[in-house]
Amino acid sequence: FHLATLDIRQDSLVHREVIAQILGEDSWMEMDAELRADRLSQLLLSESLPELPDDQGVTKTIEVFHSIAWGQEHFGRRALGPYIISMTQGADDVLSVLFLARMAGLVNADGSIPLDIAPLLETVDDLKQGEAILERLFTDKAYKTHLAQRGNRQIIMVGYSDSNKDGGLVSARWALATAQTQLADVARKHSVEPGFFHGR
């Protein structure tokens, strides 16, 4: 019996900072998002992983994934909802969560990661970029494998408060309506079932 699910949410910038520490790359934060996505995809497809550094920020983030594993084991998979990435700006932000889950050992016996990842598109610019973000994800080998293991369903969260502040009420509502149509079209093109999570 479940009364409600618990969703997990973290800002994309936190993930980037943690991955920069794990990889020991000072330039990670300033690196082009496409290059970060390529590197993360390679790491996800690789059999070997880097060592976790003894860093408080890294440990704190990795422990979140340990808690997800504990929650799934004790209360079942349906007790936990998607992992929401605030301020998603590129495909690399979604791949970052997959990478961190794998680093934390949140992996099934068959190598799949038991976690739905929901990019949160909050600003008008991010909503406009949503189509390109999904296109990049749905053509990425590592992410395509993950989606297939999750039933080819992609949850996308669309924000309201930030887009309102960013572009005004009318502009934000138009951007939200347009973005959802475009995102659904991209998903269907790649035989992915889109699910929209509204941040009202």
Side-chain angles (χ1 to χ4, degrees):
F1 174 77
H2 294 95
L3 179 64
T5 58
L6 177 67
D7 298 328
I8 304 96
R9 180 167 165 173
Q10 183 56 277
D11 193 282
S12 60
L13 188 61
V14 172
H15 297 148
R16 289 182 212 163
E17 290 172 344
V18 167
I19 291 172
Q21 290 290 327
I22 292 172
L23 300 179
E25 294 187 14
D26 296 333
S27 61
W28 186 259
M29 302 294 288
E30 292 76 36
M31 190 184 294
D32 181 77
E34 189 63 27
L35 293 176
R36 285 198 299 257
D38 289 342
R39 180 75 191 283
L40 288 165
S41 186
Q42 290 169 4
L43 287 164
L44 286 164
L45 294 169
S46 172
E47 292 184 7
S48 60
L49 291 172
E51 293 288 326
L52 284 172
D54 185 14
D55 177 86
Q56 188 175 4
V58 173
T59 302
K60 185 177 178 181
T61 297
I62 292 298
E63 283 178 353
V64 171
F65 291 92
H66 290 164
S67 295
I68 293 169
W70 184 89
Q72 289 182 346
E73 181 183 350
H74 287 80
F75 303 113
R77 296 286 166 87
R78 293 177 62 194
L80 294 164
Y83 191 112
I84 302 162
I85 313 163
S86 297
M87 299 304 291
T88 299
Q89 296 174 327
D92 62 303
D93 292 326
V94 179
L95 295 172
S96 292
V97 176
L98 269 189
F99 173 70
L100 290 169
R102 190 172 173 211
M103 289 295 301
L106 181 60
V107 181
N108 290 326
D110 62 0
S112 62
I113 294 171
L115 191 64
D116 290 318
I117 304 169
L120 169 49
L121 306 172
E122 299 185 70
T123 68
V124 171
D125 283 345
D126 292 342
L127 284 164
K128 289 176 180 175
Q129 285 297 313
E131 189 177 5
I133 291 170
L134 290 192
E135 186 71 40
R136 172 65 178 81
L137 283 172
F138 296 160
T139 55
D140 183 273
K141 186 177 179 181
Y143 199 72
K144 280 173 68 176
T145 301
H146 172 70
L147 270 187
Q149 294 161 338
R150 303 299 295 169
N152 280 321
R153 185 165 189 268
Q154 176 65 56
I155 300 171
I156 305 136
M157 186 173 176
V158 290
Y160 282 74
S161 61
D162 280 285
S163 55
N164 285 346
K165 288 181 283 187
D166 184 43
L169 185 64
V170 175
S171 175
R173 289 297 182 272
W174 180 253
L176 285 160
T178 304
Q180 286 174 86
T181 301
Q182 293 171 339
L183 295 170
D185 288 345
V186 172
R188 292 190 191 101
K189 185 177 95 172
H190 293 277
S191 300
V192 174
E193 179 190 352
F196 289 101
F197 179 5
H198 291 257
R200 287 204 198 241

